[in-house]
Amino acid sequence: MRDFSADHRWLSLNTATVRKQGDLAEIIEACARHGIRCIDPWRDQVAAIGLERAARAVRDAGLELSGYCRGGMFTSDAGHRIEVRDDNRRAVDEAKALGAPCLVLVVGGLPQYSRPGSTPSKDIAAARSQIEDALAELLDSARAANMPLAIEPLHPAYAADRACVNTTKHALDICDRLDPQRSGAIGVALDVYHIWWDPEVLAQIERAGKDRLLTFHVCDWLVPTTDILNDRGMMGDGVIDIRSLRRAVEAQGFAGYSEIEIFSNAWWQRPMDEVLQTCIARHRSMV
Ligand code: ZN
């Protein structure tokens, strides 16, 4: 396993971590100040300053990307299908323009939450099959653009509103069905927040192998968690054995960035420089 204790060259910042403290241009400037070489920006943050300006800021700062957040939300009623398809094709194009190595996908839960305005449904099996169909369709455009798709399995608490692909096994089953030849066109985004509790996680990481492990996200699970979406912890403040999970992905040959992604009402209150300093210190001591 790589030694992160001496520097933070393999730290990537998911820009949602400091989304309340500044716009994407300000976050990129802050990364330069702190010697952070890599980011994973969100679509709304890119849209807020404009795709062209965002791409230029990334280039001018010499930043790499560890992903682009995010596509997906594939579940909808029939009236919203074209919107879903076009929205995801645009996400692929944006990821390409920004130089991202993959498009991270949060696949969607029940249609009324994934695509508001859709006719309500309780049929989670139908939602799951719709997700697979939409992924197969998007994979054609993604292959044409040479943009790998990274399915992010989410903790089951998000099954209704964000993603009903909830385990690494489920995500890998989909990858195997859509890409049996393991071409590298589709894989997984593994986030310790979503996978740490899973008794099968180490076996599934081994099954994934290097070609399916597209990106790796870190933060921590606080006890108690007061908000299921926006109370993620700084690495070291919770109960996740982050290092064991990093060891497992690196044992498969993953040699990419360790991306810090913290949605936290508490950390969003702190100054950007303080958050980044803490991220760097914890990356070295806890990741
Ligand atoms: Zn994540």
Side-chain angles (χ1 to χ4, degrees):
M1 185 165 66
R2 292 171 293 175
D3 177 9
F4 284 175
S5 67
D7 58 56
H8 59 285
R9 61 175 284 111
W10 292 109
L11 185 163
S12 173
L13 179 73
N14 184 297
T15 56
T17 304
V18 284
R19 67 156 57 250
K20 301 280 165 75
Q21 289 93 328
D23 68 13
L24 186 58
E26 291 164 329
I27 293 170
I28 287 171
E29 281 170 27
C31 284
R33 279 201 298 282
H34 291 273
I36 291 173
R37 307 192 308 153
C38 186
I39 59 170
D40 177 353
W42 280 66
R43 290 185 77 191
D44 64 300
Q45 292 176 304
V46 168
I49 67 165
L51 178 61
E52 237 170 83
R53 188 176 158 216
R56 198 169 50 239
V58 164
R59 259 196 324 272
D60 290 351
L63 282 174
E64 287 192 72
L65 264 61
S66 53
Y68 185 46
C69 279
R70 59 175 164 57
M73 293 296 170
F74 295 116
T75 45
S76 74
D77 62 12
H80 291 79
R81 281 212 188 125
I82 302 294
E83 172 196 312
V84 169
R85 188 197 64 193
D86 292 351
D87 178 40
N88 276 288
R89 286 181 179 170
R90 275 197 303 278
V92 168
D93 293 342
E94 291 165 22
K96 197 77 197 165
L98 290 162
C102 61
L103 174 64
V104 176
L105 300 173
V106 169
V107 295
L110 297 171
Q112 62 271 35
Y113 304 111
S114 300
R115 294 285 164 176
S118 291
T119 309
S121 164
K122 293 182 179 177
D123 192 343
I124 195 168
R128 286 176 170 144
S129 79
Q130 190 177 23
I131 285 163
E132 207 157 321
D133 291 347
L135 270 167
E137 190 182 23
L138 183 62
L139 194 54
D140 289 336
S141 333
R143 276 189 206 277
N146 200 19
M147 178 54 60
L149 300 179
I151 304 172
E152 184 165 12
L154 260 51
H155 187 283
Y158 302 92
D161 57 350
R162 289 176 190 273
C164 55
V165 170
N166 305 107
T167 61
T168 307
K169 176 181 189 301
H170 187 180
L172 289 171
D173 287 347
I174 295 173
C175 292
D176 285 354
R177 284 193 287 271
L178 298 183
D179 179 45
Q181 64 277 32
R182 297 179 78 96
S183 69
I186 190 164
V188 292
L190 293 188
D191 185 325
V192 299
Y193 197 72
H194 297 302
I195 64 170
W196 73 275
W197 57 273
D198 181 353
E200 288 191 38
V201 68
L202 294 179
Q204 292 299 324
I205 287 172
E206 209 175 316
R207 170 190 171 195
K210 184 174 193 285
D211 54 327
R212 294 274 202 235
L213 293 170
L214 299 185
T215 183
F216 181 65
H217 299 174
V218 299
C219 65
D220 215 333
W221 186 281
L222 300 178
V223 180
T225 288
T226 59
D227 182 309
I228 194 62
L229 185 61
N230 293 326
D231 191 30
R232 290 182 175 216
M234 180 62 67
M235 299 79 70
D237 288 348
V239 297
I240 303 178
D241 185 352
I242 301 169
R243 201 158 280 169
S244 291
L245 292 165
R246 183 164 74 85
R247 183 177 296 117
V249 298
E250 293 197 8
Q252 296 306 312
F254 177 82
Y257 286 92
S258 177
E259 177 181 322
I260 298 174
E261 183 182 45
I262 302 173
F263 315 141
S264 162
N265 293 323
W267 286 101
W268 283 328
Q269 304 300 318
R270 315 268 190 100
M272 178 131 61
D273 288 310
E274 182 194 330
V275 177
L276 296 188
Q277 274 160 9
T278 310
C279 284
I280 290 167
R282 298 297 181 86
H283 171 86
R284 293 172 63 158
S285 64
M286 306 305 303
V287 176

